[in-house]
Amino acid sequence: MNDTADKLTFTRPDDWHLHLRDGNAMRSVLPDTVRRFARAIIMPNLKPPIVTTEQAAAYRARILSALPAELAGRFEPLMTLYLTDTTSPEEITRARASGIVQGIKLYPAGATTHSDAGVTDIARCEATLEKMEELDMPLLVHGEVVDPAVDVFDREKIFIDRVLTPLLQRFPGLRVVFEHITTREAVEFVQTAPNRIAATITAHHLMLNRNALFTGGLQPHHYCLPVLKREMHRQALLEAATSGHSRFFLGTDSAPHPVRDKESACGCAGIYSAHAAIEFYAEVFEQAGRLDRLEAFTSFHGPDFYGLPRNTDRISLIRESWQIPEQVELGEEKLIPLRAGEHARWKLA
Ligand code: DOR
Ligand code: ZN
């Protein structure tokens, strides 16, 4: 990192958890990510989901061809497969051999947006998980139980005890990314877990606590899953992200939805942050007095965990206030980005 008070220059970051969607929607949001990040782990929860290596290869080709000419060659999509009850061990072998699939995503069925095709019982995936362990294919986990008897704010904590801990014991060689962690319990879990367990942390979970869902009325654009938690948990995430611990790294979970799907009687989960993602992380680290640890979190820990090379080019942020747009295009629709209409303090140079 090479800083003056008003300019930060550091290794180009990667986004280790991103929703790009498909078609025209993807075409309109992709540049926000590509201007900032060199690579991104692309979530497979399309409708229908990406469940085979062949589908992942086709999706990857669509992403690359959606890049605007001036950004062509500047971005590498790291693909994932969506784990289902019927994903076969052979599919994992194909995924590993392809060289383009970097992880298999576990959505407990019904846990979040487009998760209905997800896993109903992890015990059904035994042989597939064994193959992943054997081939060192990481499991990327949406860590929430779906048991309706469990309070929505406790779903992550209960998932650790009911699902994650037994899973790690059952597969002692499996590499796991606990995605978008939101609680102190998840932070402590990762800190005390073996080296094969890491976690991504979003910008919105670092910036907001659950009051943001209700400030001045119901705020659908602050609704995501796992849902925002108490301030105590935000503090724990902030501490983890800025601690320098190598198994916490950047994953935005930027998840675009059209305005009408968010501002609805049944508003869907997802916060769009790709338009200012690295700027938001810089702001958070600065407020914590930890800008010196920003680069490792955004640009080193992720590739190190995935066993990929660190990026060699650099980006710069300058200290200049700019207004975040009120709306962003999403194909033929619009979306409301995080902190719409407000000012960001760091600007991409
Ligand atoms: O808020 C969320 N939105 N959480 C997820 O896990 C999925 C995502 C989406 O795809 O919209
Ligand atoms: Zn996600």
Side-chain angles (χ1 to χ4, degrees), residues 17 19 43 105 107 180 253:
H17 186 130
H19 297 270
M43 287 295 136
K105 179 71 187 278
Y107 286 106
H180 44 52
D253 199 18

Side-chain angles (χ1 to χ4, degrees), residues 28-30 32-33 254-256 270-275 328 335-338:
S28 46
V29 296
L30 186 56
D32 278 345
T33 291
S254 181
I271 292 178
Y272 186 74
S273 60
H275 60 294
V328 170
L335 69 76
I336 310 285
L338 182 58

Side-chain angles (χ1 to χ4, degrees), residues 197-272:
I197 314 304
T200 54
I201 304 181
T202 75
H204 49 274
H205 288 105
L206 289 172
M207 294 194 296
L208 304 173
N209 65 34
R210 67 189 195 179
N211 285 356
L213 284 162
F214 308 109
T215 311
L218 192 58
Q219 300 294 333
H221 299 289
H222 288 159
Y223 176 53
C224 62
L225 287 170
V227 72
L228 297 172
K229 303 294 192 301
R230 285 179 181 276
E231 176 63 10
M232 160 190 93
H233 296 292
R234 188 186 74 86
Q235 290 290 342
L237 296 175
L238 192 56
E239 177 58 36
T242 61
S243 67
H245 189 298
S246 65
R247 285 183 286 108
F248 295 104
F249 45 84
L250 182 159
T252 63
D253 199 18
S254 181
H257 289 280
V259 181
R260 65 186 168 85
D261 289 354
K262 297 283 295 171
E263 298 178 5
S264 140
C266 185
C268 57
I271 292 178
Y272 186 74

